[in-house]
Structure formats: structure tokens, C-alpha cells
Amino acid sequence: MQENKMGVMPVNRLIISMSLPIMISMLVQALYNIIDSIFVAMINEAALTAVSMAFPIQNLMIAVGVGTAIGVNALLARSLGEKDFEKVNRIAENAVFLAIVSYLVFLIVGLFFAEAFFRSQTDIEEIVRYGKEYLTVCCCFSFGTFTQLMFERMLQATGRTIYSMVTQGIGAIVNIILDPILIFGLLGLPAMGVTGAAAATVIGQIIAAIVGIILNQTKNKEIRIRLKGFRPDAALIGQIYAIGVPSIIMQAIGSVMTYGMNRILISFTSTATAVFGVYFKLQSFIFMPVFGMNSGIIPIIAYNYGARNRERIIDTLKHGAVYAVCIMLAGTLLFQFLPIQLLGMFNASDELLSLGIPALRIISISFIPAGFCIACSSSFQALGKATYSMFTSIARQLVVLLPVAFALSRFGRVDYVWWAFPVAEVVSLFMTLFFLRKIYSAIICKIGQ
């Protein structure tokens, strides 16, 4: 087989060709998340709050799917770099098995624990009712999410990120089209409210999953999935999760953080919780391109690690960090100068505006160091040191962010709580620099010797 482009294409052009399709698809995905909340906000603020409070479980679902897929992605790319094509196919087959197992776990969550989850956060019956409706649908039909994520990462691992963009783009467009139709009952359909928003989401994910399967079977020539006679390979699954579990924990920590922040903020007012939910939707439009670039960089570094090419690894890291910081700078300026316009998209009340404007301006101070840390985490994951990213994330969100937010909330002003984000990001930056230096001396500088 010909040498994969990850080993020969100029690094700057390679990063753009690998990352740009993922970044575009993630931007589209962020856009549909924002549009989803805009339509939900048209129902009422309680519905918006309920969808915001559902985020920890949705994020946990994505954490399991993405973390497992990252393990698959890095291991596939490394095996391709080593030219071990039999192992590549076995990894892909076990990846499909893991997607099915992940879905079954969240099916149980949706059937039995949705209401209890909301009652642990609030006793406002309207929010509990909306939240249960929304979360039950999202969990019980989440097989689309896990299948989509897994087959997208297989495409990314072999450098075919343009098809990954097609997969995510189709799912997002379907969601955007169906949102108003199902929520408000257009085209003769019954108005489903919050349930309609959830239904639009899962239908988009299922269609994206089908497209992902078709593209892998027809376009991804380096991976052949044959499930006839399949048996789970414990050793390979262990290798996948050795890389993936730290990523799962890292993102799952976000669920714990969000849950804790919701508990802190709702002690002020449910509107403060809605502001936090709106912030997360808006910041995804800034962070998603950086995460997309990260997804494009991981297989590049992993491939060249397998091929023992130190120079290309270093060049990839440098370019990735510069691009990430530039994206985050643009996001910071947007949040600083246009907070009223951003919040206005969500049918914001006067109270939501008064709480939301300082929130966006204060939290966005942390964007630039966050971008640098995300870019560096790609090397940690690709070089088999994903635990470094995990430790940094735990420190930032659990050891620093939540305790500082709780301490600041004791002063009785919700504006103070938002300062926990910049404080936590500074700690994260120092830890990232420490681990980057460590991984350079232990692994990168020894490649090729």
C-alpha cells in the first residue's frame, strides 16, 4: 500500500487538510446545539433550564462515546504507521462491539434514572417534567450517538476527515430542520415541545450513524470490518481503554463539574442556571473548532510516533498550539464585545441579560490559556500519556473550579462565581506546561535515537 499522507504531506497543509473538515462539522454541530436551545427557549425559560440541567448526562454519554473512539482512533493510526493492517481490522471490529455495550448502559439510565437525576437538582415540578421527557428520549435512542462517533473516528484515523465532516454535517442539518417542525407541530404534525427537541436530536444522530457506516464500508479502504464469527479481544479492548479511559474520565469530569455548578447556581435563582446552560451552548461554538483540530492532530502525531518521525511530531505540536490560541482569541473578543447580541438569541429576559453579560465577559478571560492546553493534550493522548490530560482536567474542574466557585458563592453574589473559571484555567496552564516538558524529555526527544 502507498504511504499514508500523514507520513509525507507538509505538516501545515496536513493539519489543515485533516482538521478543517472536522472543525467545520463540529461548528455545524455547535450551531445546531445553539439553535436547539433557541427553539427550546421559545417554549419558556423553565424548558431552557431543564435542557441545561440535562447536560451532565448528555455530556457523560458523549464522554463515553468520544473517549472510547479516541482510544480507537489513536490505536488505529499507530497501527497504520506500523503497517500492521491485520491489527487495524481487529481494532475496528472491537470498536463496533464497544459502541453497542456503551449504548446498553445509557438505555438503562434513560429508562430508570432520568427523573431521579432531575429531582436531585431541583424541586420545581415543571423543570423536572420537562427534563425527564427530554433526557429519556436522548438516552433511550442514543445508539445513534455511539455508532456515529465510532465510525467517524475510524474515518479520521485513516486521514479521511472530509467524510467525517459529511457524516456530522448531515446529522446536524437534519436536527436543525426537524427542531421547529417537532417542537411546534409544523406541517400537520403534533406539537411535541421539549420531547420534540430530543426527538430531532436523536433522529439526526441515527441518520449520521447510517451515513458513517456506509462511508466506512465504501470509502475507507484501509479498514475492513467483518463481524462474522467475531469474538471480543480483551487485550485489544484493554489497549483501547488504556488510551480512552483517561479521555472518558476527563470529559466525564465535565459532567460532575456542570452538575455541581448547577447546584451552586440554582441556590441563587433558576435563571442563573439557565445562564450557565446558555454559556455552554455559546462557548461550544468557540471550543468545538479547537476540539476538531485536536481530533485531526491526534492521528498525525500517533502515526508519526509509530513511524518514528520526531521532527513531524514537534512541527505538528507547534502549529496546533498557534492555531488553537488564535481561535480562542477570536472567541474572547466575541464574548467581550457582543454579549448582549449573543444572549439575545435565546429570547433573554431582563434578568437573564443582567446575569449573563458579566458571566460571558468574565468566563471568556480563560479562553486563551484553555486553547493552549487543549492543543497540548493532543500530544498526551497520541503518545500514550492520556493520564496527563486526565490529571490536569481533574485538577482544573474538581480540585479548583468547583471549590473556588462554592467559596465565592458564599459572598452572596452570583457574579463572583464566574471568576472560578479563570482561576481554574491558570492552574491548568501551569500543569500542562509541566507535563509537556516531561513528555518531551521522556518520549519525544528520544524518538529516532
Side-chain angles (χ1 to χ4, degrees):
M1 297 181 70
Q2 290 184 338
E3 177 73 17
N4 191 285
K5 68 179 181 180
M6 289 185 287
V8 294
M9 184 181 287
V11 168
N12 193 42
R13 186 152 59 94
L14 178 61
I15 292 174
I16 294 172
S17 69
M18 288 283 288
S19 300
L20 191 59
I22 308 174
M23 291 167 71
I24 292 172
S25 63
M26 284 190 152
L27 273 173
V28 174
Q29 195 152 4
L31 180 62
Y32 94 67
N33 282 333
I34 291 173
I35 291 174
D36 191 65
S37 291
I38 289 172
F39 284 125
V40 169
M42 292 179 185
I43 301 172
N44 55 46
E45 194 172 289
L48 179 61
T49 302
V51 171
S52 299
M53 291 178 119
F55 180 79
I57 296 295
Q58 287 183 290
N59 188 62
L60 184 60
M61 196 185 308
I62 294 169
V64 173
V66 170
T68 306
I70 282 175
V72 170
N73 187 345
L75 201 59
L76 276 174
R78 190 183 306 170
S79 299
L80 283 169
E82 295 166 348
K83 305 296 189 292
D84 189 346
F85 299 109
E86 180 185 348
K87 185 177 180 181
V88 166
N89 293 332
R90 287 190 290 113
I91 293 168
E93 290 162 2
N94 280 273
V96 175
F97 169 74
L98 294 176
I100 295 170
V101 172
S102 300
Y103 162 64
L104 293 176
V105 171
F106 283 93
L107 174 63
I108 294 170
V109 172
L111 290 174
F112 301 109
F113 299 105
E115 183 175 349
F117 172 74
F118 277 90
R119 291 201 179 280
S120 71
Q121 298 181 83
T122 181
D123 56 1
I124 301 174
E125 288 298 326
E126 187 179 22
I127 294 176
V128 171
R129 177 170 57 83
Y130 281 138
K132 180 185 176 183
E133 291 175 14
Y134 184 82
L135 196 56
T136 299
V137 173
C138 289
C139 288
C140 290
F141 295 91
S142 60
F143 57 86
T145 299
F146 293 108
T147 306
Q148 174 191 350
L149 288 169
M150 197 60 74
F151 280 92
E152 279 177 2
R153 292 306 172 112
M154 290 183 199
L155 290 165
Q156 292 171 19
T158 57
R160 294 174 174 85
T161 53
I162 188 70
Y163 296 124
S164 175
M165 180 185 73
V166 171
T167 301
Q168 281 198 346
I170 289 174
I173 290 168
V174 169
N175 190 329
I176 290 170
I177 293 171
L178 291 180
D179 256 333
I181 295 173
L182 298 181
I183 291 172
F184 304 114
L186 307 180
L187 304 179
L189 294 174
M192 298 171 66
V194 170
T195 303
T201 297
V202 298
I203 291 171
Q205 291 166 346
I206 291 168
I207 291 174
I210 293 170
V211 173
I213 292 171
I214 293 171
L215 288 174
N216 265 279
Q217 293 299 98
T218 58
K219 304 295 184 181
N220 213 352
K221 303 302 182 182
E222 288 162 300
I223 297 177
R224 297 284 82 182
I225 299 176
R226 300 177 181 87
L227 296 178
K228 185 177 180 180
F230 168 77
R231 294 289 184 275
D233 187 324
L236 271 184
I237 291 173
Q239 291 178 53
I240 289 170
Y241 279 122
I243 301 170
V245 164
S247 298
I248 292 172
I249 293 173
M250 233 169 27
Q251 195 153 339
I253 288 165
S255 294
V256 177
M257 182 275 291
T258 307
Y259 179 83
M261 287 296 294
N262 284 340
R263 292 288 301 268
I264 291 169
L265 293 169
I266 206 165
S267 66
F268 291 95
T269 169
S270 62
T271 302
T273 306
V275 166
F276 188 53
V278 167
Y279 156 73
F280 254 100
K281 300 293 183 179
L282 290 171
Q283 64 93 27
S284 68
F285 203 72
I286 310 300
F287 277 74
M288 282 295 190
V290 181
F291 286 129
M293 186 187 65
N294 204 42
S295 295
I297 285 175
I298 287 173
I300 297 173
I301 295 175
Y303 184 96
N304 286 284
Y305 181 41
R308 314 305 293 170
N309 193 324
R310 176 175 58 185
E311 183 179 348
R312 289 178 67 82
I313 292 173
I314 295 172
D315 284 350
T316 302
L317 272 172
K318 288 179 179 178
H319 282 89
V322 171
Y323 289 142
V325 169
C326 288
I327 293 169
M328 287 301 197
L329 175 60
T332 302
L333 295 175
L334 190 66
F335 274 51
Q336 290 294 325
F337 294 108
L338 297 174
I340 297 174
Q341 291 82 352
L342 293 173
L343 294 167
M345 296 189 300
F346 296 87
N347 198 29
S349 63
D350 290 341
E351 185 182 6
L352 196 148
L353 282 172
S354 67
L355 294 178
I357 291 171
L360 295 190
R361 285 177 171 160
I362 293 168
I363 298 175
S364 63
I365 295 171
S366 65
F367 283 4
I368 292 174
F372 178 81
C373 293
I374 293 168
C376 291
S377 72
S378 63
S379 66
F380 302 160
Q381 294 164 348
L383 298 175
K385 295 294 183 180
T387 50
Y388 292 172
S389 296
M390 180 184 71
F391 293 146
T392 303
S393 187
I394 290 172
R396 180 171 61 86
Q397 298 187 76
L398 298 187
V399 178
V400 180
L401 180 59
L402 278 182
V404 170
F406 179 76
L408 293 174
S409 72
R410 298 299 89 191
F411 290 97
R413 288 192 56 180
V414 70
D415 288 0
Y416 294 164
V417 175
W418 311 124
W419 284 101
F421 286 86
V423 171
E425 211 57 62
V426 169
V427 174
S428 175
L429 177 61
F430 281 110
M431 289 188 67
T432 298
L433 290 170
F434 171 78
F435 286 130
L436 184 63
R437 182 174 180 178
K438 187 173 182 179
I439 205 170
Y440 180 83
S441 60
I443 296 177
I444 295 175
C445 71
K446 295 181 181 178
I447 293 174
Q449 292 183 358

